[in-house]
Amino acid sequence: MQRLFSQKITLFALILAANTLFGQTTKGNYNYLDFNQKPYYFGITLGINRADYRIFHSKDFILNDSFARVESVTGPGFNLGIVSNLKIGEYFDLRFLPTLSFAEHNLKYSLSGNNNKRIINRRVESVFVELPFHARYKSAPYHDMRLFIIGGVKYSFDVASDSRTRQASGLVKIAPTDFAMEYGAGVQFFFPFFIFSPEIKVSQGLNNVLIFNKKLEQSNVIEKVLSRALTISFHFEG
């Protein structure tokens, strides 16, 4: 994640450099000029994601004799959603992207002592209804192409959550709702009938999604769990 963040800073610097280099030129931006007249437009988004948790151990973790390690294992997923885009001047957009996201998170407990090779896995398969709100800054257009960066917040609800089921009474429970901040970057390519925008985005959870259960040792050794995900999206807008 730290490497990805540094890459975003580098890309942001490239966008600013491109904006300075190309200035206000629109020479050759024939498709861009058509779309630039629209105050708003819609589209669809398809994506793939890799999700995991950021785990904070509790003070009881050091004292416990059962677990040597608790870690998160990245799981795959995919997204399908709708794009709503509102122009705010020449370089800024407001975007709302309601999305159905299929994701997998895994908590892995390594047993201590002579059992250190034994593993207990807690798999959390989720179907999220996500409601992201983003602001987008775009560079000056050049030959029907624009670079952009995004930032915003997201609310999500897991409609497949097992946190309230009786079968999950002996498992670590994860809350179905979550808030996250998001940031990323991408490129717009303007074609005659649509805009194609590949985008890479990072989501960082803001609230603790662990449902604490003092009767469960697997829960006692964890203080806080934050969600995070890396998503590569392909937007088709027009």
Side-chain angles (χ1 to χ4, degrees), residues 138-153:
K138 303 171 292 186
S139 70
Y142 181 73
H143 291 300
D144 281 332
M145 182 183 73
R146 299 184 85 162
L147 305 177
F148 65 83
I149 57 174
I150 61 166
V153 295

Side-chain angles (χ1 to χ4, degrees), residues 26-46:
T26 57
K27 184 178 180 180
N29 296 328
Y30 306 111
N31 297 327
Y32 159 76
L33 292 175
D34 292 336
F35 288 101
N36 198 44
Q37 299 175 5
K38 297 182 178 182
Y40 59 87
Y41 48 78
F42 304 94
I44 62 172
T45 178
L46 305 173

Side-chain angles (χ1 to χ4, degrees), residues 88-154:
I88 306 294
E90 178 66 20
Y91 296 103
F92 290 92
D93 295 329
L94 292 179
R95 293 167 66 79
F96 175 52
L97 300 89
T99 303
L100 194 63
S101 176
F102 299 83
E104 181 180 313
H105 303 78
N106 293 283
L107 291 174
K108 185 171 73 172
Y109 292 80
S110 300
L111 301 184
S112 60
N114 297 328
N115 296 321
N116 56 8
K117 293 185 178 181
R118 290 186 54 194
I119 301 296
I120 298 177
N121 283 310
R122 168 65 166 113
R123 176 176 293 181
V124 182
E125 296 179 336
S126 302
V127 180
F128 290 105
V129 176
E130 299 182 336
L131 302 175
F133 291 89
H134 295 158
R136 179 169 70 173
Y137 170 73
K138 303 171 292 186
S139 70
Y142 181 73
H143 291 300
D144 281 332
M145 182 183 73
R146 299 184 85 162
L147 305 177
F148 65 83
I149 57 174
I150 61 166
V153 295
K154 177 183 70 176

Side-chain angles (χ1 to χ4, degrees), residues 58 60 67 169-173 210-222:
S58 70
D60 293 333
F67 305 113
S169 59
L171 301 174
V172 173
K173 294 185 178 182
L210 174 68
I211 300 178
F212 182 71
N213 181 0
K214 64 180 181 180
K215 298 180 180 180
L216 186 63
E217 189 175 15
Q218 294 178 26
S219 179
N220 287 329
V221 296
I222 301 176

